[in-house]
Amino acid sequence: PSPPAGAPPSPPAMSQPPSHPPTGPPSAPAPSPKGAAQVPLQPPPEAPQGPPPALPGTPMVADQALQDTANRLFATVFTGDRTVQELVEICKEYARQPPDSREHKIYNAMIEILFKECKIFPKYGPKELSITGELFGSLIWHDLVPSNNVTTASLSLALRCVLEALRREKVSKMFRFGLLALEQFLPKLPELPPLCRMLQPLQHLKADYPTYHQYIVDILEALPKEFR
């Protein structure tokens, strides 16, 4: 199925979540399940006790200089000096560099820092969490999250974080985070049947975002029974 009307093929930068979903039912048939990514969803890490570390990325990475550079890049988004999409473009450029280059190592440090922060997202302020939700979903949309990473950063963990956020009450800031993240990679959902199967039973998503929910249902119904 096509993404709901109003959800562009390349999700735009969003500083605030929409008050209601776009209108218009999805129409086109789903792609063949041969292209569907059967990504297992990892459980989210447990939240630590005590006060949260500095926002974002207090967790240490191998090279302190790389961590400092990564944190400075994150800071430009939270201070408004860069948009989320501008930061994503930097990540895309760094990710294209040779694995042993400094730029690629900075990209790895940024991903590692962001995923180590997952467990304390609930302690973020509403503004910071909304920015993080947009960034999180944009990284998924642009394939900047490793799909086969044995460390903390992996696509399955990213999808699990979004799923768990969307399971929260619709008035919570974590639900807003999950919705913002999901909106960034809506066109990618046909590639993610396991996530669609877990989103489909969410009654508050169905009640308040019926177009999104129907899009998910259409994706699943277009799959052969053995893939549903």
Side-chain angles (χ1 to χ4, degrees):
S2 300
S10 293
M14 296 168 53
S15 58
Q16 296 294 333
S19 58
H20 55 79
T23 58
S27 55
S32 166
K34 291 181 181 179
Q38 299 293 329
V39 181
L41 302 185
Q42 296 178 1
E46 295 182 0
Q49 299 299 316
L55 174 70
T58 293
M60 298 295 291
V61 294
D63 188 317
Q64 182 65 45
L66 295 177
Q67 179 185 349
D68 291 344
T69 301
N71 279 327
R72 284 195 294 270
L73 286 169
F74 279 127
T76 62
V77 175
F78 290 98
T79 58
D81 294 326
R82 279 193 180 94
T83 67
V84 167
Q85 293 308 312
E86 287 170 343
L87 182 60
V88 169
E89 289 302 316
I90 291 173
C91 288
K92 289 166 67 176
E93 178 61 29
Y94 284 10
R96 285 194 290 263
Q97 303 308 310
D100 60 346
S101 67
R102 177 171 176 78
E103 290 82 3
H104 195 92
K105 290 177 182 178
I106 292 170
Y107 154 70
N108 285 338
M110 293 177 70
I111 298 298
E112 182 179 349
I113 286 170
L114 184 63
F115 276 79
K116 285 184 176 179
E117 290 276 293
C118 281
K119 56 185 174 290
I120 60 165
F121 282 169
K123 297 183 179 181
Y124 281 19
K127 176 184 175 182
E128 290 77 14
L129 194 58
S130 293
I131 293 171
T132 304
E134 183 188 341
L135 174 61
F136 206 76
S138 296
L139 292 174
I140 295 172
W141 166 244
H142 289 286
D143 296 319
L144 290 169
V145 180
S147 57
N148 296 304
N149 195 330
V150 296
T151 64
T152 55
S154 69
L155 179 59
S156 60
L157 177 57
L159 298 177
R160 173 61 70 176
C161 287
V162 174
L163 173 65
E164 292 302 324
L166 289 170
R167 284 174 169 166
R168 302 293 184 90
E169 294 182 2
K170 63 183 181 181
V171 295
S172 70
K173 62 182 181 180
M174 281 306 297
F175 180 84
R176 174 181 291 188
F177 161 84
L179 187 66
L180 268 171
L182 179 68
E183 287 175 332
Q184 308 311 304
F185 65 93
L186 275 175
K188 203 176 187 67
L189 283 182
E191 302 173 25
L192 303 168
L195 179 62
C196 291
R197 284 195 292 269
M198 295 182 184
L199 290 174
Q200 191 271 335
L202 301 184
Q203 292 302 309
H204 56 296
L205 188 65
K206 180 179 180 179
D208 292 277
Y209 296 86
T211 307
Y212 291 176
H213 186 270
Q214 187 59 50
Y215 175 48
I216 291 166
V217 170
D218 289 346
I219 290 170
L220 293 174
E221 289 182 348
L223 292 171
K225 289 183 180 180
E226 61 269 23
F227 289 96
R228 294 179 188 173

